[in-house]
Amino acid sequence: MAETAKLIIDGKELEFPIIEGTENEKAIDISKLRAETGYITIDPGYKNTGSTQSAITYLDGEEGILRYRGYSIEELADKADFLGVSYLLIYGELPTEEQYDDFVGKITTHTMVNEDVRKIFDGFPVNAHPMGVMSSLVSAMSGFYPDSYNDKMPDNTDTHIIRLLAKLPTIAAWCLKNSKGHPLNYPKNKLDYCSNLLQMMFAMPVEDYEVNPVVAKALNKLLILHAEHEQNCSTSTVRLVGSSKANIYSSISAGISALWGPLHGGANQEVIEMLEEIKADGGDSQKYIDKAKDKNDPFRLMGFGHRVYKNFDPRAKIIKVACDEVLEALGIDDPVLDIARQLEEAALKDEYFVKRNLYPNVDFYSGIIYRALGIPVNMFTVMFAIGRLPGWIAQWKELRENNEPIGRPRQIYTGATAREFVPIEKR
Ligand code: CMC
C-alpha cells in the first residue's frame, strides 16, 4: 500500500498521498487540501513548497550534490562545453556528434540581432544597467518573432530557443561596448561560443584581437556552473510567467529581471563591491564579519549563505580552484582575492556562520575571475544570465510540454474587514 500522510483537522482525519522522486525525495501531495478542508498552507519564501515535479536538475543541499540530467556538476565543468551542456539541459541527453554539430551550427548562424532591436538599444542612456537593458531587449524580441505567441507550444519552438541562445551574448556585448563608448562588434561565425562572446566584448576595430584560450576556457566553465539550478527565484519566475502561456521571450525576460536582484544573481556584483570597500577601509575583514553578525546592521556578507546548500555549494568549490588557476595563468595578483580568502577563513570558524550553515556560494569567487578576465563589474550578473539561459529554457519547455496549470498561489488576507464607502467630503 502506497505511503500516505495523515492530517487531523477540525476533528476530521484526512490522508494525503506521498510522492517520491527518483532520488527518494519525498513530498506530501496537498493538491486536494483546500477542496477537502477549506484550509490552505502558508510558507513564506516557499521554503518547504515544491512547485513542480521536474526531470532536469537534482540538488541535495545537505550533501552538496548538483547534477544536470543525472551528470555531476564536477564532471560537466571539467569535461563538457557550454553548448553541449545547454543541449543536455534542454533536450535531456548529451548530444551525439551529429546533434552537437547541428545545434552549434544553428546557434552560430543566428547570432546577429535584428538592426531594429539595435534602435531600441540606442534609446537607452549610456549608464543604464545592462541587466535592465537585456531584460527589455529580450522582451522586445517577442515583437520581432510574433509566431512565438501561441497558447500551444509553437511548432518552431526550437528556432526560438536557438535565437535566444545565439543572440543573448550579442546583446550582452553591446551593453559592454556601449558603456565604454566603443563601436559595437558583430559576431564572428568562425569562433566558438565563448571566444565569440569575448571577441564581441573586447575586440577593437583598430587592432587584431586574439582570444586567450585560458580566458575562453574559464568562461566556458563559469557558464556551465551557472547553467541550471532547479526552482530558484529566476527559474520559478520563468515558470510562473510561462504558466500563463506567455511566450518564451517574455518569460525569459522576466527571469533576467528576477536574477538581477542582489539576493540572487546580483550578488556577484555586490561581492566585488564589498571586497573593494573592505580593501579601501584598510582590509580589516573581522570588522565586516562583525557587521554581518550585528542584527542592528543591515549589512550581509555577500556571496555567503544559500537557501538550499547547508554544508557547501559544490559550484563554489570548483570556482575557488578555477579562480586560483586563472589568476596564476594570467599572472594577476588581485589584492581582493586575499581579502576574500581571509573572510572565508574567518567566517568558517565563526560560531554565527557555523550555526546558520553559512558558506561561500557560487557568487563569492566568480566576480574575482570575471574581473581577471577583464569583464566590468556591472556585467557580472549579465554573465550569470548568459549561463543560466539554457536552464530557464529547459524549465520553460518542460512546463509547457507537461501542460502544467497556471501558477496562482493563495494568501491569507490580513486587511480591513468589510466597510462602507465614505464620500470624499466626509473623510
Ligand atoms: N550574512 C550574514 N548573515 C546571513 C547571511 C549573510 N550573507 N545569509 C544569511 N544570514 C543569516 C540571516 O540573518 C539569518 O539569521 P537569523 O536566523 O539569526 O535570523 C540566517 O542566516 C538565515 O538566513 P535567511 O535570510 O533566512 O536565509 P535564506 O535561505 O532566506 O536566504 C540568501 C538565503 C542567499 C538570500 C542569504 O543567505 C543571503 O542574503 N546571502 C547573501 C546574498 C547572496 O550571496 N546571494 C547569492 C545566493 S547564491 C546565487 C544565487 O542564488 O543567485
Side-chain angles (χ1 to χ4, degrees):
M1 175 141 156
E3 226 186 317
T4 57
K6 284 191 179 146
L7 173 72
I8 300 173
I9 197 158
D10 293 338
K12 234 170 63 182
E13 188 178 291
L14 295 130
E15 277 191 64
F16 295 96
I18 302 279
I19 293 179
E20 198 168 335
T22 48
E23 292 282 356
N24 309 321
E25 291 166 301
K26 291 185 178 177
I28 305 166
D29 175 358
I30 55 148
S31 49
K32 300 223 162 45
L33 177 70
R34 189 169 181 280
E36 291 187 8
T37 66
Y39 286 72
I40 60 165
T41 56
I42 196 141
D43 186 19
Y46 310 126
K47 292 191 181 192
N48 308 279
T49 299
S51 57
T52 190
Q53 295 189 55
S54 174
I56 300 169
T57 291
Y58 174 65
L59 196 165
D60 180 333
E62 276 68 38
E63 299 296 326
I65 294 172
L66 174 61
R67 296 187 202 127
Y68 300 163
R69 302 278 189 190
Y71 297 100
S72 81
I73 191 64
E74 289 79 7
E75 236 192 333
L76 290 171
D78 191 37
K79 299 181 183 157
D81 86 303
F82 176 63
L83 289 186
V85 170
S86 301
Y87 186 99
L88 168 72
L89 288 166
I90 296 166
Y91 298 107
E93 295 296 337
L94 287 168
T96 61
E97 244 174 89
E98 200 185 325
Q99 287 165 334
Y100 179 83
D101 290 346
D102 179 56
F103 185 62
V104 173
K106 283 182 181 146
I107 290 173
T108 308
T109 49
H110 277 83
T111 47
M112 279 175 63
V113 175
N114 190 308
E115 291 289 321
D116 284 339
V117 176
R118 170 85 185 267
K119 288 185 194 148
I120 305 174
F121 175 75
D122 287 340
F124 280 95
V126 73
N127 57 355
H129 196 286
M131 287 300 278
V133 177
M134 283 227 310
S135 169
S136 308
L137 294 191
V138 169
S139 180
M141 276 167 71
S142 61
F144 291 79
Y145 306 109
D147 55 353
S148 62
Y149 329 144
N150 198 328
D151 61 350
K152 299 197 182 61
M153 278 287 266
D155 292 339
N156 60 348
T157 292
D158 286 337
T159 309
H160 296 301
I161 291 174
I162 295 288
R163 284 193 183 115
L164 276 162
L165 288 167
K167 296 180 201 304
L168 200 66
T170 310
I171 293 173
W174 283 358
C175 295
L176 189 151
K177 282 297 191 187
N178 195 43
S179 70
K180 290 182 181 275
H182 293 174
L184 309 189
N185 286 326
Y186 281 94
K188 279 206 171 24
N189 286 359
K190 65 173 188 210
L191 296 174
D192 64 73
Y193 197 76
C194 289
S195 303
N196 182 43
L197 173 56
L198 291 166
Q199 177 278 130
M200 288 191 290
M201 290 196 294
F202 298 121
M204 297 289 275
V206 286
E207 50 195 47
D208 292 337
Y209 177 76
E210 286 278 318
V211 177
N212 181 336
V214 173
V215 174
K217 196 171 154 221
L219 185 56
N220 177 60
K221 189 172 284 208
L222 285 163
L223 295 183
I224 292 174
L225 292 173
H226 282 117
E228 209 336 80
H229 214 232
E230 50 117 298
Q231 307 312 319
N232 57 82
C233 176
S234 56
T235 303
S236 295
T237 302
V238 169
R239 286 189 85 119
L240 196 59
V241 175
S243 78
S244 73
K245 312 276 191 218
N247 67 77
I248 193 166
Y249 298 101
S250 310
S251 307
I252 300 293
S253 158
I256 295 172
S257 298
L259 186 75
W260 188 4
L263 296 187
H264 193 11
N268 56 12
Q269 171 169 348
E270 302 268 331
V271 169
I272 278 287
E273 286 168 355
M274 173 189 80
L275 295 174
E276 282 294 350
E277 187 189 327
I278 300 174
K279 187 175 130 224
D281 192 22
D284 182 358
S285 26
Q286 190 55 47
K287 177 174 161 190
Y288 286 82
I289 296 265
D290 294 341
K291 265 165 80 63
K293 287 158 58 175
D294 181 356
K295 292 288 169 200
N296 297 316
D297 188 329
F299 175 80
R300 279 194 166 200
L301 209 50
M302 299 312 286
F304 258 77
H306 199 276
R307 172 58 64 79
V308 287
Y309 292 120
K310 297 302 173 198
N311 275 318
F312 66 94
D313 179 340
R315 303 165 302 171
K317 268 197 170 178
I318 301 170
I319 289 197
K320 192 177 174 191
V321 174
C323 188
D324 288 337
E325 284 170 5
V326 168
L327 266 66
E328 201 195 314
L330 298 177
I332 292 174
D333 182 18
D334 190 338
V336 301
L337 180 59
D338 290 333
I339 296 177
R341 288 198 189 108
Q342 281 163 26
L343 271 180
E344 180 184 358
E345 206 184 313
L348 294 183
K349 280 197 247 147
D350 191 294
E351 204 209 319
Y352 173 96
F353 291 88
V354 173
K355 207 172 117 205
R356 290 170 179 77
N357 300 310
L358 301 171
Y359 296 83
N361 60 47
V362 67
D363 288 328
F364 194 62
Y365 286 101
S366 67
I368 300 177
I369 307 192
Y370 283 135
R371 195 154 81 154
L373 305 189
I375 296 170
V377 176
N378 71 350
M379 287 290 295
F380 290 179
T381 316
V382 167
M383 305 313 287
F384 191 157
I386 296 173
R388 184 55 54 86
L389 180 62
W392 289 330
I393 293 172
Q395 298 272 352
W396 183 92
K397 185 166 172 280
E398 182 181 71
L399 165 105
R400 296 296 296 267
E401 282 171 350
N402 291 346
N403 208 12
E404 289 190 22
I406 185 166
R408 204 301 184 187
R410 292 229 167 215
Q411 63 162 21
I412 294 294
Y413 176 66
T414 59
T417 51
R419 45 187 173 163
E420 262 180 39
F421 180 77
V422 184
I424 193 157
E425 64 280 6
K426 296 208 174 144
R427 284 177 219 157

